[in-house]
Amino acid sequence: MKFYIAFILFCHLSCASQDSQKPKLACSDVHAGNFTKMDEIFGIYKISRTKNDKNQVIQIEEVVKSKLKIEFLVTWTSDCICEIRFSKVLENGIGYDFETMLKDVVRTEKIFEIKRDSTQAITEYKIKATSNQNKEEREEIFTVDSGM
């Protein structure tokens, strides 16, 4: 009986040790790059996130079927949380006044899951997003797009 209890205790401690060794999300791995996401209404978004010469993070979002391309400024408040603010319209195939519609909107995104393939390359990540205009939390999936 003592052996059985010792074995169960060993297994429990071994599993707990392995959990503590799991890699953290490493959200900084997706602070820059090319991504896509699918929206039920607008379809495919192509997203490019880079740093400019002023060391600002710039995000370009292109809604493929609408010929819409908008630039946003991204501020990472922690490794897994960022705030996204409208910067300017680069292409407007819809004709809406996005300068007025988006000028005061702050979107907050929190990364809560990162998926990797067998080589540990990131394949997708999931966020929970809110904005100062819509407090309802929305989950979105971004896929890494290496072909952009």
Side-chain angles (χ1 to χ4, degrees), residues 17-19 30 32 45 58 62 69 93 106 120 138:
S17 172
Q18 287 176 359
D19 283 345
V30 296
Y45 278 68
I58 304 296
E62 179 182 359
K69 196 182 283 189
V106 178
Q120 294 304 307
R138 177 180 167 154

PDB file of all heavy atoms in Angstrom, residues 17-19 30 32 45 58 62 69 93 106 120 138:
ATOM      1  N   SER A  17       5.516  19.155 -12.297  1.00  0.00           N
ATOM      2  CA  SER A  17       6.794  19.674 -12.753  1.00  0.00           C
ATOM      3  C   SER A  17       6.769  19.923 -14.256  1.00  0.00           C
ATOM      4  O   SER A  17       7.264  20.933 -14.740  1.00  0.00           O
ATOM      5  CB  SER A  17       7.900  18.687 -12.399  1.00  0.00           C
ATOM      6  OG  SER A  17       9.110  19.088 -12.981  1.00  0.00           O
ATOM      7  N   GLN A  18       6.157  19.022 -15.027  1.00  0.00           N
ATOM      8  CA  GLN A  18       6.080  19.195 -16.477  1.00  0.00           C
ATOM      9  C   GLN A  18       5.216  20.391 -16.839  1.00  0.00           C
ATOM     10  O   GLN A  18       5.516  21.116 -17.768  1.00  0.00           O
ATOM     11  CB  GLN A  18       5.541  17.927 -17.135  1.00  0.00           C
ATOM     12  CG  GLN A  18       6.538  16.797 -17.135  1.00  0.00           C
ATOM     13  CD  GLN A  18       5.967  15.518 -17.708  1.00  0.00           C
ATOM     14  OE1 GLN A  18       4.814  15.465 -18.103  1.00  0.00           O
ATOM     15  NE2 GLN A  18       6.777  14.478 -17.731  1.00  0.00           N
ATOM     16  N   ASP A  19       4.121  20.640 -16.108  1.00  0.00           N
ATOM     17  CA  ASP A  19       3.269  21.794 -16.386  1.00  0.00           C
ATOM     18  C   ASP A  19       4.036  23.091 -16.203  1.00  0.00           C
ATOM     19  O   ASP A  19       3.875  24.027 -16.964  1.00  0.00           O
ATOM     20  CB  ASP A  19       2.033  21.792 -15.473  1.00  0.00           C
ATOM     21  CG  ASP A  19       0.987  20.791 -15.936  1.00  0.00           C
ATOM     22  OD1 ASP A  19       1.087  20.315 -17.087  1.00  0.00           O
ATOM     23  OD2 ASP A  19       0.076  20.488 -15.144  1.00  0.00           O
ATOM     24  N   VAL A  30       4.416  37.346 -32.188  1.00  0.00           N
ATOM     25  CA  VAL A  30       3.435  37.825 -33.168  1.00  0.00           C
ATOM     26  C   VAL A  30       3.271  39.349 -33.126  1.00  0.00           C
ATOM     27  O   VAL A  30       2.319  39.889 -33.660  1.00  0.00           O
ATOM     28  CB  VAL A  30       2.061  37.123 -33.015  1.00  0.00           C
ATOM     29  CG1 VAL A  30       2.190  35.645 -33.305  1.00  0.00           C
ATOM     30  CG2 VAL A  30       1.451  37.367 -31.660  1.00  0.00           C
ATOM     31  N   ALA A  32       5.056  41.332 -34.723  1.00  0.00           N
ATOM     32  CA  ALA A  32       5.287  41.740 -36.112  1.00  0.00           C
ATOM     33  C   ALA A  32       5.059  40.523 -36.999  1.00  0.00           C
ATOM     34  O   ALA A  32       5.178  39.390 -36.552  1.00  0.00           O
ATOM     35  CB  ALA A  32       6.706  42.270 -36.290  1.00  0.00           C
ATOM     36  N   TYR A  45      -9.409  39.332 -44.166  1.00  0.00           N
ATOM     37  CA  TYR A  45      -8.559  40.471 -43.828  1.00  0.00           C
ATOM     38  C   TYR A  45      -7.110  40.017 -43.971  1.00  0.00           C
ATOM     39  O   TYR A  45      -6.740  38.964 -43.466  1.00  0.00           O
ATOM     40  CB  TYR A  45      -8.734  40.873 -42.364  1.00  0.00           C
ATOM     41  CG  TYR A  45      -9.901  41.749 -42.041  1.00  0.00           C
ATOM     42  CD1 TYR A  45     -11.202  41.292 -42.147  1.00  0.00           C
ATOM     43  CD2 TYR A  45      -9.693  43.033 -41.562  1.00  0.00           C
ATOM     44  CE1 TYR A  45     -12.266  42.090 -41.800  1.00  0.00           C
ATOM     45  CE2 TYR A  45     -10.762  43.843 -41.210  1.00  0.00           C
ATOM     46  CZ  TYR A  45     -12.046  43.360 -41.335  1.00  0.00           C
ATOM     47  OH  TYR A  45     -13.101  44.152 -40.987  1.00  0.00           O
ATOM     48  N   ILE A  58       3.230  49.678 -36.774  1.00  0.00           N
ATOM     49  CA  ILE A  58       2.203  50.025 -37.748  1.00  0.00           C
ATOM     50  C   ILE A  58       1.495  48.746 -38.171  1.00  0.00           C
ATOM     51  O   ILE A  58       2.143  47.758 -38.505  1.00  0.00           O
ATOM     52  CB  ILE A  58       2.819  50.697 -39.000  1.00  0.00           C
ATOM     53  CG1 ILE A  58       3.628  51.930 -38.611  1.00  0.00           C
ATOM     54  CG2 ILE A  58       1.739  51.020 -40.032  1.00  0.00           C
ATOM     55  CD1 ILE A  58       2.815  53.049 -38.000  1.00  0.00           C
ATOM     56  N   GLU A  62      -6.103  45.087 -44.614  1.00  0.00           N
ATOM     57  CA  GLU A  62      -6.706  45.141 -45.945  1.00  0.00           C
ATOM     58  C   GLU A  62      -7.884  44.181 -45.984  1.00  0.00           C
ATOM     59  O   GLU A  62      -7.745  42.994 -45.719  1.00  0.00           O
ATOM     60  CB  GLU A  62      -5.677  44.739 -47.001  1.00  0.00           C
ATOM     61  CG  GLU A  62      -6.221  44.748 -48.403  1.00  0.00           C
ATOM     62  CD  GLU A  62      -5.192  44.289 -49.434  1.00  0.00           C
ATOM     63  OE1 GLU A  62      -4.047  43.974 -49.070  1.00  0.00           O
ATOM     64  OE2 GLU A  62      -5.568  44.237 -50.612  1.00  0.00           O
ATOM     65  N   LYS A  69      -8.114  49.507 -47.341  1.00  0.00           N
ATOM     66  CA  LYS A  69      -6.838  49.353 -46.666  1.00  0.00           C
ATOM     67  C   LYS A  69      -6.686  50.508 -45.675  1.00  0.00           C
ATOM     68  O   LYS A  69      -6.762  51.676 -46.064  1.00  0.00           O
ATOM     69  CB  LYS A  69      -5.692  49.363 -47.683  1.00  0.00           C
ATOM     70  CG  LYS A  69      -4.385  48.836 -47.146  1.00  0.00           C
ATOM     71  CD  LYS A  69      -3.265  48.903 -48.175  1.00  0.00           C
ATOM     72  CE  LYS A  69      -3.366  47.803 -49.188  1.00  0.00           C
ATOM     73  NZ  LYS A  69      -2.176  47.733 -50.069  1.00  0.00           N
ATOM     74  N   GLY A  93     -12.302  51.491 -51.070  1.00  0.00           N
ATOM     75  CA  GLY A  93     -13.192  51.020 -52.117  1.00  0.00           C
ATOM     76  C   GLY A  93     -14.656  51.051 -51.716  1.00  0.00           C
ATOM     77  O   GLY A  93     -15.537  50.791 -52.531  1.00  0.00           O
ATOM     78  N   VAL A 106     -10.524  52.981 -29.740  1.00  0.00           N
ATOM     79  CA  VAL A 106      -9.360  52.263 -29.236  1.00  0.00           C
ATOM     80  C   VAL A 106      -9.782  50.812 -29.064  1.00  0.00           C
ATOM     81  O   VAL A 106     -10.687  50.506 -28.295  1.00  0.00           O
ATOM     82  CB  VAL A 106      -8.860  52.826 -27.891  1.00  0.00           C
ATOM     83  CG1 VAL A 106      -7.665  52.015 -27.386  1.00  0.00           C
ATOM     84  CG2 VAL A 106      -8.515  54.292 -28.014  1.00  0.00           C
ATOM     85  N   GLN A 120       7.586  23.990 -34.077  1.00  0.00           N
ATOM     86  CA  GLN A 120       7.393  25.088 -33.122  1.00  0.00           C
ATOM     87  C   GLN A 120       7.158  26.439 -33.794  1.00  0.00           C
ATOM     88  O   GLN A 120       7.169  27.474 -33.143  1.00  0.00           O
ATOM     89  CB  GLN A 120       8.554  25.185 -32.108  1.00  0.00           C
ATOM     90  CG  GLN A 120       8.627  23.991 -31.172  1.00  0.00           C
ATOM     91  CD  GLN A 120       7.319  23.773 -30.419  1.00  0.00           C
ATOM     92  OE1 GLN A 120       6.796  24.669 -29.779  1.00  0.00           O
ATOM     93  NE2 GLN A 120       6.763  22.574 -30.531  1.00  0.00           N
ATOM     94  N   ARG A 138     -15.025  39.881 -27.978  1.00  0.00           N
ATOM     95  CA  ARG A 138     -15.159  39.073 -29.187  1.00  0.00           C
ATOM     96  C   ARG A 138     -13.875  38.283 -29.393  1.00  0.00           C
ATOM     97  O   ARG A 138     -12.781  38.834 -29.275  1.00  0.00           O
ATOM     98  CB  ARG A 138     -15.406  40.008 -30.365  1.00  0.00           C
ATOM     99  CG  ARG A 138     -15.501  39.330 -31.677  1.00  0.00           C
ATOM    100  CD  ARG A 138     -15.746  40.340 -32.770  1.00  0.00           C
ATOM    101  NE  ARG A 138     -15.535  39.693 -34.052  1.00  0.00           N
ATOM    102  CZ  ARG A 138     -16.105  40.071 -35.146  1.00  0.00           C
ATOM    103  NH1 ARG A 138     -16.887  41.106 -35.153  1.00  0.00           N
ATOM    104  NH2 ARG A 138     -15.872  39.433 -36.266  1.00  0.00           N
TER     105      ARG A 138
END
